[in-house]
Amino acid sequence: MTKLAERTKGIKPSVTLAIAAKAGKLRSEGIDVVNFSAGEPDFDTPEHIKAAAVEALRKGMTKYTDVKGIEPLREAITQKYQREHGLVYRKDDVLVSCGAKHSLYNIFQAVIGPGDEVVIPAPYWVSYSDMALLAGGVPKLISTNEATGFRMKLEQFEVALTPRTRVVVLNSPCNPTGASYHRDELLAIARVLEEHDCLIVSDDIYEKIIYDNSQVHNLVALNPSLRERTVIINGVSKTYAMTGWRIGYAIGPADVISAAAKIQSQSTSNATSIAQAAALEAIRGSQDEVPIMVREFQKRRDVIVDRLNAVEGIRCLKPQGAFYVFPNIAPLLSKTGNGKKLGSPCDVADYLLEEAKVAVVPGEDFGSQQHIRFSYATSLEDIEKGCKRIHAAVKKLN
Ligand SMILES: Cc1ncc(COP(=O)(O)O)c(C=O)c1O
């Protein structure tokens, strides 16, 4: 057996992908599985974006690009931040990578060293803690729950920050909870951060997927004194239904961006050239389809929250953004289904897949022992069908 590097031992493979594989296997056997596990919009990429990629291909844009990304794309990204938040960045402050996941990976590798603490409010997106571990860091989780709408209390945040804190991760709206910080809360968080010399990584990938006319606030715009130590992460996957194109970006202080670009230059080089052309059109072109998708997500959110709250033992907050709900299933954890005791969210997810043929993601990997995650980036018809099946399966528990 090949001796593997130590770094492979402390991290886990993505549970979301494992569930998707199990659901896929059932489907390949002809079983009708309702899939609430996917972390991607079910809409197709808008036509004008696809056309830009076709045009780039036709024009022969098939060569390596600058490691940091093509200049027009980096310029369009800086213009977006100027237009939307009044922030002035230069194109050298932008690094385009193979998805926001890759952007985060590059930044973590660039700034986290052995023993550095990485503060992560929980529940959190699965990859933050494993990426911190891969860089030799120590994740410091701040647990939150329904009582505060899954937003951390300021006292918790103050206690979590220590002189060893190297990075603080913020993600609003949040995957998996959909929680989004209000303006005054972010201002208070920023004031605490003023006192701590750490890098802030603000993962704003769901910034446009926000409901009920609420607004997502940009930390740097709210408190410009944090600009030199804040990296904003964003991308086109979620806003423009472009998960497969793999384009994300980091925008922030030039020294951090250059270090991350150096790491990228020794791994993937540039992100795919024609996907960059598509991302340019996504960011610079018509935004008309974005609110249409968001309105559809909001309709689905309202239905799924209503249907899940009608199931005894499941309690679900109405999220403000992203396309996930994160219901509490604690009352189900003392029950037995198909002769097996449901001792954890993983057991509940397994039971729902076996009994109801419904795929959800267990909360453990998001830092919760009491929740499961549903993505409602699926049709209303499937939401109704899946929730009915869950209702019936939960009734069978004893
Ligand atoms: C919070 C969060 N950040 C980053 C990403 C990565 O997105 P991508 O790599 O597709 O740009 C995801 C994807 O699920 C996410 O949920």
Side-chain angles (χ1 to χ4, degrees):
M1 276 262 279
T2 305
K3 184 177 180 315
L4 299 175
E6 278 305 309
R7 77 174 71 84
T8 63
K9 296 181 186 156
I11 60 163
K12 316 167 283 306
S14 160
V15 171
T16 321
L17 297 182
I19 290 280
K22 256 195 210 173
K25 185 170 174 293
L26 287 176
R27 242 187 259 117
S28 71
E29 291 162 8
I31 296 166
D32 169 31
V33 176
V34 177
N35 188 8
F36 290 119
S37 72
E40 59 182 348
D42 53 324
F43 306 110
D44 196 3
T45 302
E47 274 310 318
H48 66 105
I49 298 175
K50 288 198 219 170
V54 170
E55 178 65 5
L57 193 53
R58 208 183 51 76
K59 281 191 179 150
M61 193 180 157
T62 56
K63 309 290 185 217
Y64 292 132
T65 74
D66 187 327
V67 166
K68 281 183 165 178
I70 55 172
E71 286 204 3
L73 175 55
R74 287 188 284 134
E75 235 145 47
I77 291 166
T78 63
Q79 282 159 10
K80 164 189 152 65
Y81 279 88
Q82 171 133 41
R83 197 170 57 239
E84 294 180 0
H85 302 291
L87 296 172
V88 180
Y89 285 101
R90 293 163 311 133
K91 60 181 185 323
D92 278 348
D93 302 331
V94 181
L95 170 62
V96 175
S97 303
C98 310
K101 189 183 244 182
H102 187 216
S103 306
L104 285 158
Y105 184 85
N106 287 331
I107 297 293
F108 278 24
Q109 288 291 322
V111 299
I112 299 168
D116 285 343
E117 291 182 0
V118 180
V119 170
I120 307 170
Y124 54 87
W125 179 50
V126 282
S127 295
Y128 298 139
S129 63
D130 283 323
M131 281 190 196
L133 290 168
L134 270 175
V138 181
K140 287 277 155 184
L141 306 181
I142 301 178
S143 57
T144 72
N145 58 32
E146 289 86 351
T148 57
F150 291 114
R151 298 190 297 273
M152 61 184 171
K153 290 192 219 140
L154 211 54
E155 309 88 83
Q156 289 180 290
F157 189 45
E158 283 167 332
V159 170
L161 295 174
T162 75
R164 291 180 302 281
T165 305
R166 186 73 201 89
V167 169
V168 169
V169 180
L170 297 174
N171 174 220
S172 171
C174 167
N175 176 5
T177 63
S180 170
Y181 284 93
H182 306 312
R183 185 173 185 276
D184 53 338
E185 291 168 331
L186 262 190
L187 277 169
I189 287 171
R191 264 195 303 277
V192 173
L193 285 165
E194 276 179 18
E195 306 298 320
H196 287 268
D197 183 20
C198 56
L199 185 84
I200 303 135
V201 172
S202 183
D203 181 350
D204 297 352
I205 191 97
Y206 294 102
E207 62 165 1
K208 299 290 182 200
I209 304 178
I210 181 88
Y211 309 120
D212 308 322
N213 300 319
S214 41
Q215 224 188 319
V216 170
H217 300 281
N218 180 288
L219 187 73
V220 182
L222 285 182
N223 188 331
S225 76
L226 297 177
R227 182 196 158 107
E228 282 317 304
R229 27 192 204 95
T230 302
V231 174
I232 299 165
I233 302 289
N234 209 331
V236 295
S237 287
K238 316 287 177 174
T239 305
Y240 304 102
M242 291 178 71
T243 45
W245 298 78
R246 310 308 303 128
I247 297 289
Y249 56 87
I251 180 163
D255 54 344
V256 177
I257 294 296
S258 292
K262 192 157 66 169
I263 287 165
Q264 178 164 308
S265 76
Q266 298 297 3
S267 52
T268 61
S269 302
N270 59 276
T272 306
S273 56
I274 55 172
Q276 289 189 58
L280 173 61
E281 172 61 21
I283 292 168
R284 205 174 55 180
S286 163
Q287 303 294 305
D288 290 354
E289 296 197 40
V290 178
I292 298 173
M293 293 194 261
V294 172
R295 271 199 298 278
E296 185 58 32
F297 281 139
Q298 182 170 323
K299 251 194 258 164
R300 298 168 180 187
R301 175 202 63 168
D302 292 345
V303 171
I304 198 166
V305 168
D306 183 67
R307 302 299 184 268
L308 288 174
N309 277 329
V311 180
E312 210 181 317
I314 296 184
R315 186 165 43 93
C316 187
L317 286 190
K318 190 180 264 195
Q320 297 90 43
F323 39 70
Y324 310 100
V325 283
F326 201 55
N328 190 308
I329 44 102
L332 305 184
L333 295 178
S334 49
K335 306 215 170 199
T336 305
N338 289 343
K340 271 187 261 164
K341 188 154 169 22
L342 306 184
S344 66
C346 215
D347 292 344
V348 172
D350 268 341
Y351 173 72
L352 291 179
L353 190 54
E354 266 173 37
E355 180 62 33
K357 305 292 180 277
V358 165
V360 300
V361 186
E364 284 93 334
D365 273 12
F366 302 106
S368 164
Q369 297 299 326
Q370 301 201 328
H371 298 82
I372 51 180
R373 190 195 75 174
F374 289 67
S375 159
Y376 50 89
T378 187
S379 67
L380 272 174
E381 192 191 347
D382 266 8
I383 290 171
E384 295 283 12
K385 179 161 76 176
C387 290
K388 260 193 206 133
R389 290 186 189 178
I390 290 171
H391 210 132
V394 167
K395 266 197 179 155
K396 285 191 186 165
L397 294 172
N398 41 50

